[in-house]
Amino acid sequence: MVYSYSDLDQKNLKWFPNDISRTTLLTIRVLRGQIRGLKGVTIDFRYPITAIAGRNGSCKTTVLALSACAFHNKPNGFKLPGRKHPYYTFSDFFIQTKEEAALGNILIKYQILHNDWRVMKDNPDKAGPKWQARFKKSGGRWNNYDSRVVRTVVFLGVERIVPHAERSVSKSYRGKFKPVTDHGWEHSVRETVGRILGTDYTSFSYRRHARYRLPIVAKKDQNVYSGFNMGTGEHYLFELFSIINECPDGSLILIDEIELGLHEKAQESLIGEFKKICEKRKFQIICTTHSSRILECLPPEGRIFLERTGSETIVIPGISPAYATGKLSGHPNVELDILVEDEAAKLVVETVLDKDIRSRTKILPIGSAAAVMRHLGAKYKEIIHKTYKKIEVCVLLDGDQSSKKNEHIKEFLKALENPTEQQEAKDWVEKRLGFLPGNEWPELWIVNTKSREPFYERFERELQMSKAEVDEMLDSASRAGKHNEFYEAAKILTFDKTVVASYLIKSAFESAPEESQRIINLIQGFLGDNIVS
């Protein structure tokens, strides 16, 4: 299902690549060496919230660690309780035992949007997107941490979800936590967590001992209770939004396994709250996830999938939630039904599409053009009454039906039986109705394309045929009668009809590549790349 952009999405997409005052992380490149499984990769950030999905071992958390090491901070900058420094270094994340090979000969570049670059002869601009490099020679140290751009960064690993009841330190200090003066943001945190969990909290505050703190809350008609008696997700949210409120505007928040402890509705609400915070306070949030719901709540610009293939890591930006879920499960999900008239049209579309798109689509031969439009009407009624996990649909009728487009739309509207929103339904179908090439049925267009050179080359290579033999086959096929063209060619060659048809289709679209691209563009528009509502 394609993503529908909200006004808030549009606002976030506008400021993120343009606001030079926020030290925004735009790109990470591993240019030399290998750090865990990452080598030779480029990761671009195009939205204030980025969710990185992938199977275990795909280096998702490594990307978070590299992001944390992009920035420095002031000595008095915000830091999590228990941390020595208000910034991160590579030694915080990349630790080797004596049995493991030490990191070395590594070059990582960060593109950062900043308004206070050091002016140099070869780089006179003070503001804009520029690159900083971190490198480490074999046996050496990482270069000059304090030369990094200053920004508050917070890394929240999976240990954040461990409840106080399972923390030995918290249990040993349970009688020593004392009230502290409110910071002024407690009410905001209480309201935010309440919206996410659908709970009406009446109070929220912290008790503190040394560098440890314990949340205390109350609900309507319920006694006060502490973090010792909170659920995992509840405790996590109070701590998360407290940290966000303690950080200055423009901070970078990194969250590993963002969905841990949260049900799907809470995940959806969490992303909604993040969007508002990013628009208001210009935060950047990068997280890892295995949740399709998290991905569904973000625009394509906010989704990245990492896939390990052998020793390589492939970065797939803008992945659709269904495609990501299929990759995570090992069982591809169908994201789009493509309705066509018959098996010949199905073969045409299958041949045009690459393996990746074929794995995400299902091509359904329905029958006549009228039958296709009636089926589309049924799908429309099904889709508008669903709110979750919709499978998109589009139509590719034969080229000889293109002159009857208005009639087909009327057939669709007729199948709806008095739709309440006539114009809305008409707009919907017009976006989903396409046609195969030409002004004739597909088989005739294929054997009559403008150039025969691709046919000569393919049939000589595959079947050792001369140009004269190819001409004879194509001429005979074009005279065979409607929908008999592939059969006639196969009969002349005494070869399997499907194989011959595949050769003919590939040759025809090589002769007219703009036609295959037109079909691909239509289909990709329903796989998450464009807005279709």
Side-chain angles (χ1 to χ4, degrees), residues 295-349:
L295 297 175
E296 286 168 353
C297 294
L298 289 170
E301 292 85 352
R303 309 180 204 134
I304 293 174
F305 193 90
L306 300 183
E307 185 170 37
R308 292 283 288 172
T309 303
S311 61
E312 301 292 325
T313 298
I314 299 171
V315 180
I316 306 174
I319 193 168
S320 74
Y323 189 28
T325 302
K327 282 185 169 291
L328 290 172
S329 68
H331 304 288
N333 288 323
V334 172
E335 302 171 54
L336 173 68
D337 286 339
I338 305 171
L339 309 184
V340 297
E341 294 183 44
D342 52 31
E343 290 293 338
K346 178 183 178 183
L347 184 58
V348 170
V349 178

Side-chain angles (χ1 to χ4, degrees), residues 41-203:
V41 299
T42 296
I43 299 169
D44 295 313
F45 302 101
R46 301 183 293 156
Y47 187 75
I49 309 165
T50 301
I52 303 172
R55 291 185 175 185
N56 294 338
S58 60
C59 300
K60 302 185 299 296
T61 306
T62 303
V63 175
L64 294 188
L66 295 183
S67 301
C69 295
F71 299 96
H72 208 60
N73 205 355
K74 299 175 182 177
N76 62 345
F78 174 81
K79 61 181 178 181
L80 291 175
R83 281 199 56 77
K84 182 178 180 181
H85 300 294
Y87 54 82
Y88 295 88
T89 66
F90 288 92
S91 60
D92 287 315
F93 305 101
F94 305 102
I95 304 165
Q96 288 81 39
T97 65
K98 62 181 181 180
E99 293 83 8
E100 296 173 290
L103 295 176
N105 195 29
I106 295 173
L107 173 61
I108 302 166
K109 282 195 171 184
Y110 298 96
Q111 188 184 40
I112 298 169
L113 187 63
H114 187 38
N115 64 352
D116 194 23
W117 291 105
R118 184 180 303 171
V119 175
M120 304 174 71
K121 286 184 178 180
D122 59 344
N123 204 348
D125 296 327
K126 191 177 178 67
K130 295 187 182 181
W131 294 88
Q132 278 202 329
R134 306 265 72 79
F135 58 85
K136 183 180 187 295
K137 297 179 180 179
S138 296
R141 294 176 176 270
W142 291 96
N143 65 307
N144 305 337
Y145 282 122
D146 57 3
S147 67
R148 297 178 297 183
V149 172
V150 171
R151 187 186 196 186
T152 295
V153 178
V154 174
F155 181 94
L156 299 173
V158 294
E159 75 280 353
R160 72 186 184 278
I161 68 165
V162 178
H164 282 276
E166 297 179 22
R167 299 180 184 183
S168 58
V169 171
S170 294
K171 288 189 288 185
S172 66
Y173 289 148
R174 65 184 181 275
K176 297 183 178 181
F177 288 102
K178 304 296 182 184
V180 295
T181 304
D182 282 354
H183 298 81
W185 40 254
E186 286 81 0
H187 175 77
S188 173
V189 171
R190 187 189 80 201
E191 294 290 317
T192 301
V193 176
R195 287 193 297 270
I196 294 172
L197 297 180
T199 300
D200 190 2
Y201 294 99
T202 57
S203 68

